[in-house]
């Protein structure tokens, strides 16, 4: 396939993947507004916006707090930097019993653990779990730069478009990359870019330009070749609006790790604990808003004021209101507000939201009403871990 045909095919697929993902973007928007305030949404032009005022639709923070607890708990239980969280074994299990083999595997484990400590892996995984618990689809990109440490980077969910193979595994990832003209020249070289971007790099270097980065299986692979044609995965950068390839390369393995916490068989994108809890989050926001209004009414009730005193009333500590008729007094309007029922309902829904995020699992000892034995702690941990196995297993 020649370069012009390849560029057209990439843009056609990108358009199809973007249209396909619109079905779930409305759910993502609700999650970002109500729970995951950290993540911004798409602008009208399809680019990720930079929002400064977030969470304005939320009247209760239990959803956001539970999401953060879930993300922190998953990080601590699965990939904590405080202790080794993986173990190496040979596929031939009989060999693992030899002392020399076990000693060698232990040395490799310690070496790999040390490597992770010196990369951006741990700083990226916190955001990785946050995206998984909120959006339901988290994408980690692993880049290996010559002469530098491996780079682990979590991509914004709104910039990533995925497709599956026949076995339900993500094998195609398209993402929209925004680079300034200066960054584009540094990344690809001026000889590989359209003239408009090169001109901007000279006159207005901070003008942003959109690129498509497409990674997909190389169906025309030529075994034995050392260039992109011989790689199992193709990697192509294409500037939006131009039929030119900025960079064409390849990978020996897919550089994207796409995690779907739970997934419907007919969907390419995942579902999350936040999506399971969104109905309760909407409900508790309504109740919290009503309780806020009720508390305002209780503290600052409306008043019945004689008409002739209009504009002369002072409702403040030690205020003086003068009148001639003793029967014409200012009086508050007493409304019957059953506040305790609303608070009780709010607490019940808050606990339901925490259950969606398995908060009790991560804070078991903190929430214990009494001191537990070590055996009881282990049994409870095993019970909770069994409930979360489907999420962790993916």
């Amino acid at each position: 396939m020649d370069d012009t045909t390849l560029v057209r095919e990439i843009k056609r697929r990108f358009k199809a993947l973007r249209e396909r993902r619109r079905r779930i973007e409305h759910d993502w928007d609700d999650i970002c507004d109500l729970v995951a305030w950290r993540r911004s949404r798409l602008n009208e032009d399809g680019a990720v916006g930079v929002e400064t005022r977030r969470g304005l639709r939320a009247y209760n923070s239990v959803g956001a707090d539970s999401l953060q607890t879930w993300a922190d708990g998953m990080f601590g239980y699965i990939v904590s930097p405080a202790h080794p969280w993986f173990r190496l074994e040979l596929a031939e299990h009989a060999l693992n019993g030899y002392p020399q083999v076990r000693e060698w595997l232990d040395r490799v484990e310690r070496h790999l653990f040390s490597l992770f400590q010196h990369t951006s892996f741990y700083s990226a995984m916190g955001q990785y779990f946050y995206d998984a618990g909120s959006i339901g689809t988290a994408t980690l990109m692993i880049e290996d730069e010559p002469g530098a440490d491996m780079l682990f980077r979590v991509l914004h969910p709104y910039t990533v478009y995925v497709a599956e193979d026949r076995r339900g595994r993500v094998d195609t990832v398209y993402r929209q990359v925004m680079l300034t003209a200066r960054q584009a020249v540094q990344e690809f070289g001026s000889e590989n870019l359209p003239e408009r971007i090169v001109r901007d790099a000279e006159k207005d270097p901070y003008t942003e330009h959109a690129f498509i980065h497409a990674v997909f299986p190389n169906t025309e692979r030529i075994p034995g070749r050392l260039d992109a044609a011989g790689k199992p995965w193709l990697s192509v950068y294409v500037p939006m609006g131009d039929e030119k390839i900025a960079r064409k390369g390849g990978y020996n393995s897919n550089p994207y790790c796409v995690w779907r916490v739970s997934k419907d068989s007919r969907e390419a994108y995942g579902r999350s604990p936040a999506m399971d809890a969104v109905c309760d989050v909407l409900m508790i926001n309504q109740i919290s808003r009503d309780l806020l209004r009720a508390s305002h009414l209780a503290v600052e009730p409306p008043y019945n004021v004689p008409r002739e005193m209009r504009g002369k009333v002072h409702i403040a500590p030690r205020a003086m209101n003068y009148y001639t008729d003793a029967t014409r007094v200012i009086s508050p309007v007493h409304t019957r507000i059953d506040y305790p029922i609303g608070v009780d309902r709010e607490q019940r829904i808050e606990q339901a939201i925490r259950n969606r995020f398995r908060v009790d699992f991560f804070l078991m000892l903190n929430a214990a009403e009494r001191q537990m034995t070590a055996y009881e702690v282990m049994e409870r941990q095993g019970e909770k871990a069994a409930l979360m196995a489907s999420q962790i297993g993916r």
Side-chain angles (χ1 to χ4, degrees), residues 185-229:
V185 171
Q186 291 174 341
E187 183 73 21
F188 307 116
S190 57
E191 67 279 4
N192 298 315
L193 294 171
E195 293 183 4
R196 61 184 178 85
I197 299 180
V198 177
R199 287 196 304 268
D200 284 342
E202 298 174 355
K203 297 180 180 179
D204 191 2
Y206 300 109
T207 302
E208 287 193 332
H209 296 271
F211 292 81
I212 301 173
H213 183 208
V215 175
F216 51 91
N218 186 2
T219 57
E220 300 177 356
R221 181 189 178 194
I222 304 175
R225 290 278 295 269
L226 299 179
D227 59 359

Side-chain angles (χ1 to χ4, degrees), residues 7-15 238-239 241-243:
V7 169
R8 292 175 180 174
E9 182 64 16
I10 287 175
K11 290 187 175 181
R12 185 188 68 81
R13 293 180 183 179
F14 179 74
K15 182 179 179 181
V238 177
D242 290 274
E243 293 188 354

